[in-house]
Amino acid sequence: QVQLVESGGGLVQAGGSLRLSCAASGRTFTSYAMGWFRQVPGKEREFVAARGWSSARPYYADSVKGRFTISRDNAQNTVYLQMNSLKPEDTAVYYCAAGPIRYCSGYGCSDYGMDYWGQGTLVTVSS
């Protein structure tokens, strides 16, 4: 059974930092992208960042470029999201996801292409 388990969410002041982790189990994710989406209640889920298996370039949403960094430890089946210079508009539930890399492009990854999802972790940025 494949599981993605997120951790690291919490409350932080604007300008602060948080690091999210996602530990995957149940299979290896060769040729899969692993990454993050987020959702605010009442709004659609949006892509945040993702990274393929290899050392190829990561994908970022424009809204987080320069502030967030995604990294991946393939040996540990774990993906991280370092979030710096956080803004109140970054407040959301953040979901870890994994899916075939073909669903990712320069515009990000499509959530309909993701095969596996975590349960989500809440990030709250206060002003």
Side-chain angles (χ1 to χ4, degrees):
Q1 181 181 0
V2 175
Q3 282 189 314
L4 304 180
V5 179
E6 302 101 333
S7 60
L11 173 64
V12 64
Q13 287 189 330
S17 299
L18 280 175
R19 188 191 193 209
L20 304 183
S21 300
C22 172
S25 61
R27 62 164 290 168
T28 56
F29 290 89
T30 308
S31 80
Y32 266 52
M34 292 184 69
W36 299 88
F37 292 74
R38 66 187 182 187
Q39 189 170 24
V40 175
K43 294 189 176 181
E44 290 188 357
R45 185 164 51 196
E46 64 173 0
F47 168 77
V48 176
R51 191 162 198 137
W53 176 266
S54 68
S55 60
R57 69 167 180 85
Y59 306 92
Y60 293 105
D62 288 342
S63 59
V64 306
K65 282 180 182 176
R67 300 188 298 122
F68 291 11
T69 302
I70 187 168
S71 60
R72 182 169 172 171
D73 184 338
N74 290 329
Q76 299 296 324
N77 254 2
T78 301
V79 64
Y80 304 95
L81 186 68
Q82 178 66 43
M83 305 185 294
N84 298 328
S85 302
L86 282 161
K87 304 175 181 180
E89 50 264 43
D90 294 317
T91 295
V93 177
Y94 283 70
Y95 296 92
C96 179
I101 191 69
R102 66 179 181 271
Y103 290 103
C104 300
S105 71
Y107 300 101
C109 301
S110 300
D111 61 356
Y112 63 78
M114 299 296 107
D115 291 338
Y116 307 105
W117 292 89
Q119 80 287 353
T121 185
L122 177 62
V123 172
T124 304
V125 183
S126 62
S127 58

